[in-house]
């Protein structure tokens, strides 16, 4: 693991957009289960390496100092772990449900933005607005797709008390089933799919809002 104790300030330092403070308060502000969120980075399309593991009380001041570089892509876990390893066995607290919807189709790469807006509009009308599943707290546009973030009442997710994790996974699976049905129903959304890997992984990595997506050559945005 690549451990960095604290961000090293660059000569020309670009701080992450300060609107991320509210996002951190919503999704990681409750320290009832004060485990460690992991932050990772990727350079030049390689693998994601863990930069640091921060307790929730340390997370906000740490993120405020990260350099919003166009050479590095930054990621964060939706939930927290006991130590510093991103393994399911290390899961400590459940803080968020996140579903990642991406466009992996080369033939649709030129109109990803339109696909994402059509998808978000359909979700707001047919799913969230109808109460099929609740409105997410945050919608992160990643440049190649969109992440839907639901903040939950934090609970212990460790293996000793499996019921919390069981219900968490059942709820997330239900959300994904409804979203997948929506994607299948409308031909205008062809090219978008749920990225089941990180979406199903309780310690999966997700792009940090307002950081750079090198493949899409844009910064992620937040609603």
């Amino acid at each position: 693991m690549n451990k960095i104790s604290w961000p090293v300030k660059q000569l020309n330092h670009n701080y992450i957009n300060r609107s991320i403070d509210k996002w951190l308060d919503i999704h990681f502000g409750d320290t009832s289960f004060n485990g460690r969120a992991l932050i990772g980075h990727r350079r030049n399309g390689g693998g994601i390496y863990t930069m640091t593991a921060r307790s929730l009380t340390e997370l906000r001041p740490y993120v405020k100092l990260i350099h919003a570089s166009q050479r590095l892509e930054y990621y964060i876990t939706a939930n927290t772990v006991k130590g510093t390893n991103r393994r399911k066995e290390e899961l400590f607290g459940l803080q968020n449900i996140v579903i990642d919807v991406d466009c992996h189709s080369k033939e649709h790469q030129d109109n990803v933005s339109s696909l994402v807006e059509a998808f978000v509009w359909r979700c707001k009308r047919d799913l969230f607005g109808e109460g099929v599943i609740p409105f997410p707290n945050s919608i992160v546009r990643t440049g190649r797709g969109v992440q839907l973030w639901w903040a939950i009442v934090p609970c212990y997710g460790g293996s000793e008390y499996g019921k919390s994790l069981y219900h968490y996974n059942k709820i997330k699976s239900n959300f994904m089933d409804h979203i997948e049905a929506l994607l299948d129903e409308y031909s205008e959304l062809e090219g978008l799919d749920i990225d089941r890997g990180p979406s199903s992984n309780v310690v999966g990595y997700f792009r940090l809002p307002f950081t750079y997506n090198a493949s899409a050559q844009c910064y992620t945005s937040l609603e």
Side-chain angles (χ1 to χ4, degrees):
M1 187 192 307
N2 186 16
K3 295 181 182 178
I4 298 176
S5 60
W6 211 257
V8 178
K9 188 171 182 179
Q10 309 286 322
L11 182 62
N12 298 307
H13 193 89
N14 298 317
Y15 292 100
I16 293 176
N17 188 302
R18 287 278 52 86
S19 296
I20 201 171
D21 289 347
K22 183 177 181 180
W23 182 82
L24 289 168
D25 286 344
I26 291 171
H27 293 284
F28 298 97
D30 189 331
T31 58
S32 302
F33 291 88
N34 191 21
R36 296 182 177 92
L38 303 182
I39 294 178
H41 67 75
R42 174 163 61 189
R43 186 189 297 271
N44 300 326
I48 302 175
Y49 296 92
T50 298
M51 259 174 54
T52 193
R54 290 286 147 194
S55 68
L56 296 187
T57 52
E58 293 182 322
L59 185 61
R60 182 166 168 171
Y62 183 91
V63 171
K64 288 176 73 171
L65 295 179
I66 287 179
H67 179 57
S69 171
Q70 291 189 6
R71 296 182 179 180
L72 287 177
E73 300 176 83
Y74 294 99
Y75 300 82
I76 190 168
T77 53
N79 301 304
T80 54
V81 296
K82 302 171 188 175
T84 59
N85 293 314
R86 193 172 66 89
R87 296 199 305 259
K88 292 178 183 178
E89 297 78 17
E90 293 293 311
L91 177 68
F92 178 70
L94 297 167
Q95 277 82 17
N96 299 284
I97 289 173
V98 187
I99 296 175
D100 187 14
V101 176
D102 273 338
C103 177
H104 295 289
S105 169
K106 290 184 178 180
E107 64 181 288
H108 293 94
Q109 288 300 315
D110 292 338
N111 65 326
V112 171
S113 179
S114 298
L115 282 174
V116 166
E117 294 315 311
F119 169 72
V120 171
W121 185 84
R122 287 289 183 187
C123 283
K124 287 180 177 179
R125 192 194 73 165
D126 296 353
L127 297 183
F128 313 149
E130 292 297 316
V132 177
I133 56 179
F135 269 92
N137 298 88
S138 303
I139 299 173
V140 180
R141 290 167 173 83
T142 63
R144 199 177 65 177
V146 62
Q147 293 171 358
L148 306 174
W149 284 70
W150 288 267
I152 64 173
V153 176
C155 57
Y156 181 69
S159 58
E160 295 95 322
Y161 302 95
K163 284 188 177 180
S164 296
L165 185 57
Y166 171 80
H167 290 299
Y168 172 92
N169 285 329
K170 289 285 285 185
I171 292 168
K172 183 165 57 174
S173 178
N174 177 264
F175 286 9
M176 286 196 282
D177 287 345
H178 284 297
I179 291 170
E180 204 155 63
L182 183 83
L183 291 170
D184 290 340
E185 182 177 356
Y186 294 104
S187 58
E188 68 200 69
L189 303 180
E190 184 181 352
L192 293 178
D193 294 290
I194 294 175
D195 196 338
R196 288 269 176 177
S199 297
S200 301
N201 188 353
V202 73
V203 289
Y205 266 136
F206 300 94
R207 287 188 183 275
L208 196 61
F210 303 116
T211 58
Y212 196 69
N213 182 335
S215 60
Q217 297 186 330
C218 68
Y219 283 91
T220 57
S221 62
L222 174 64
E223 176 184 346

